[in-house]
Amino acid sequence: MIAYEYTNCVQCHVTPQGRGLLNGYGRGIDMEQSLSPVDLTGRALGAIIDPKFAEDSWKGRFGPVLLDGVASTRLNYDIEKTRADGVFSGILRQIIFLTKKSTFRISTEIGLRDTELASTNLAPGLTATGGGKVFLKKATLDWRLGASTAQSGSEISVGRDYLPLGLQLDDYTSYLLHLNRDGIFDYPLQIKYLKWREKWLASAYLFGPTFDELGSHREWGGGVMYEYYPSEHLALGIQSLAGVSDESNRFRLGTYARWGFGKKWAILAEADFTHYWDAAPKGLAGEQFTAFVQIYCNHTAWLVSGLTGNYATSDLFTSGRHHLSGRYTLSARLNRNITLALTYATGDIRRNLGFGQEAAAYANVKF
C-alpha cells in the first residue's frame, strides 16, 4: 500500500499497528483494488449483524467476525518434514466495541492450524518457538485516548499481541522472524503505548511471557519503535528492544523502510543487529545480523508479484555461516474474498537453517 501513498497503517486498519481488521475506509480501498466491486463480506455480515456494517460511521457493539483461510498444496516441500502436505490454515478475527464511540474495544485473533511447527533448537541459546493446531495470537484491551483520527491520536493496549517491531512479515522462513524471536508463535503479553501524527508514529512497550512457553524460553523486556514519513511514498523506522530469559539475554537494534516509487513498484527492507550474552551454556556471548529486502511489482491493482532476499550471519548461533534464501511469489486477486498465488523459495529456509526448496500453490479465501 506504500505505492498508493498510504504511509501509516491507521488510515485503513482499526489498530495503528496495522494487521487485523480494516475500518470502513480500509474496506472501501479493499474493494477498489478488486476485479469485482461487490463487498460480499459486507453484504453477508451486514445482513446478520447490522446493515450499516460497511460504513465508517457505524459504531455497533460488535465488530465483524472474519476468517482468513489459506488452502495450500505443496509441489516440492522440504522446509518442515513433520508437517503434512496439503493443509488448511486460517485466522479468526473478532473485535468487540465496548463503548458507542469505540473508545474501548477488545481485539482477538485465533490461529487455526497456524503452521503447527514444533519448537526448534537452532543452537545454544536460541530457540524458534512453535505451537499447536489452535493458537491464541491476540487478545488485547485497547483504549483509544481522546478524539483520535487517522492523522492524530494515541492508544494504550494491554494483552497478548504482536510486538510493534519493524516490518510485519507473514513468511515464517524469513530470518527476521525465527532468528529474531518474532516467529509465528512469538506473541508475548505486553502493555504498549502508541502515539501518531500525520508525519510519524511512535510506540513504547513492556513485555513478558504468556507462560505457554517452556520455562527457559520465557522472556521479559521492553522496547521502543519510531517511524517517520518524509513523503507520501516513504516510511523510515527504527526500533530496539532488550530482553532477559534463562536461555539468553539480548539487545536488538534495527532499522527498516517501506518505499513506494511510482504506482507499480515498492520496496520493503529491514536490517537488525542483536547482541546476545549469558547464553546457555552460561558465559557464551556473540552478535547476530539479519537483513531482508522485498521488491513488489503491482502489475495491476489485482495482480502482484514479489521477489524476496534474506541474509543472516552469527558468530555464536550459526558458527559464522552466511545464510541466504530467496522467494518469488505471484498472486492474483480475483476479488476481495478470493486470492490465488504461486510461490517458489530456495536456500536455507528450513527451520534448522538447512537448505530446502518450496514450490506451492495457495488459495486464500476471506469471508
Side-chain angles (χ1 to χ4, degrees):
M1 296 305 296
I2 194 73
Y4 291 90
E5 302 179 358
Y6 292 95
T7 48
N8 63 356
C9 300
V10 73
Q11 292 174 298
C12 294
H13 290 268
V14 174
T15 170
Q17 192 177 329
R19 290 184 178 266
L21 292 172
L22 298 171
N23 56 32
Y25 180 78
R27 286 194 295 272
I29 298 299
D30 203 22
M31 287 182 285
E32 289 179 7
Q33 288 192 310
S34 302
L35 284 178
S36 170
V38 179
D39 183 1
L40 299 179
T41 303
R43 284 189 177 184
L45 297 180
I48 298 172
I49 301 175
D50 193 308
K52 299 180 180 180
F53 162 82
E55 297 179 7
D56 193 24
S57 60
W58 180 59
K59 306 300 180 187
R61 289 175 298 172
F62 291 88
V65 179
L66 290 185
L67 176 63
D68 293 349
V70 178
S72 60
T73 298
R74 306 284 190 254
L75 304 179
N76 181 354
Y77 191 75
D78 194 27
I79 295 179
E80 184 65 36
K81 292 184 178 179
T82 60
R83 180 179 175 183
D85 183 35
V87 300
F88 170 83
S89 62
I91 299 175
L92 177 67
R93 296 185 171 105
Q94 167 75 79
I95 288 182
I96 302 175
F97 297 104
L98 300 178
T99 60
K100 291 184 178 180
K101 294 184 178 181
S102 304
T103 305
F104 290 93
R105 67 182 188 272
I106 295 175
S107 301
T108 61
E109 289 188 16
I110 299 175
L112 308 175
R113 292 198 69 178
D114 192 51
T115 75
E116 295 185 336
L117 292 174
S119 295
T120 301
N121 182 260
L122 297 169
L126 183 62
T127 300
T129 308
K133 291 185 177 181
V134 179
F135 188 78
L136 181 62
K137 285 189 162 189
K138 180 175 184 176
T140 61
L141 175 63
D142 309 318
W143 178 21
R144 187 65 57 89
L145 304 174
S148 296
T149 66
Q151 287 73 40
S152 176
S154 58
E155 181 171 299
I156 294 176
S157 181
V158 180
R160 179 173 184 152
D161 197 5
Y162 314 88
L163 285 176
L165 283 172
L167 300 176
Q168 301 291 303
L169 306 177
D170 58 2
D171 182 357
Y172 61 86
T173 66
S174 165
Y175 304 137
L176 291 181
L177 293 184
H178 65 279
L179 287 183
N180 290 348
R181 296 185 186 172
D182 299 334
I184 302 301
F185 295 96
D186 295 334
Y187 307 115
L189 291 177
Q190 59 191 279
I191 177 171
K192 57 188 172 186
Y193 173 73
L194 298 104
K195 186 179 182 67
W196 64 94
R197 292 292 183 266
E198 185 177 2
K199 285 291 187 179
W200 55 267
L201 181 146
S203 177
Y205 57 91
L206 298 173
F207 67 91
T210 64
F211 297 98
D212 287 340
E213 308 91 346
L214 296 175
S216 61
H217 302 164
R218 295 170 183 170
E219 186 179 34
W220 306 81
V224 295
M225 180 268 288
Y226 176 83
E227 59 183 42
Y228 176 67
Y229 316 125
S231 73
E232 294 178 333
H233 295 275
L234 180 63
L236 300 174
I238 186 170
Q239 41 85 9
S240 67
L241 69 78
V244 296
S245 70
D246 289 342
E247 188 177 49
S248 63
N249 302 329
R250 61 171 175 154
F251 173 76
R252 171 180 167 184
L253 179 65
T255 184
Y256 61 95
R258 304 188 299 271
W259 179 31
F261 44 101
K263 291 294 185 181
K264 292 190 61 176
W265 298 90
I267 291 179
L268 306 180
E270 181 174 344
D272 290 314
F273 170 83
T274 305
H275 173 69
Y276 290 89
W277 71 97
D278 283 341
K282 293 299 182 181
L284 290 179
E287 281 69 45
Q288 174 183 288
F289 178 78
T290 57
F292 174 92
V293 61
Q294 186 172 55
I295 301 176
Y296 278 106
C297 179
N298 298 303
H299 304 285
T300 68
W302 60 273
L303 186 65
V304 178
S305 63
L307 185 63
T308 302
N310 284 281
Y311 171 78
T313 186
S314 171
D315 56 15
L316 175 61
F317 300 118
T318 62
S319 301
R321 287 186 56 196
H322 298 280
H323 296 276
L324 295 167
S325 70
R327 178 184 292 276
Y328 175 77
T329 302
L330 178 66
S331 60
R333 183 187 176 101
L334 304 184
N335 56 50
R336 72 178 298 258
N337 302 90
I338 300 176
T339 300
L340 304 178
L342 298 173
T343 184
Y344 173 77
T346 184
D348 299 329
I349 57 177
R350 297 182 63 183
R351 290 275 281 183
N352 62 3
L353 298 180
F355 180 82
Q357 293 180 321
E358 177 194 49
Y362 293 91
N364 180 275
V365 180
K366 180 170 64 175
F367 56 91

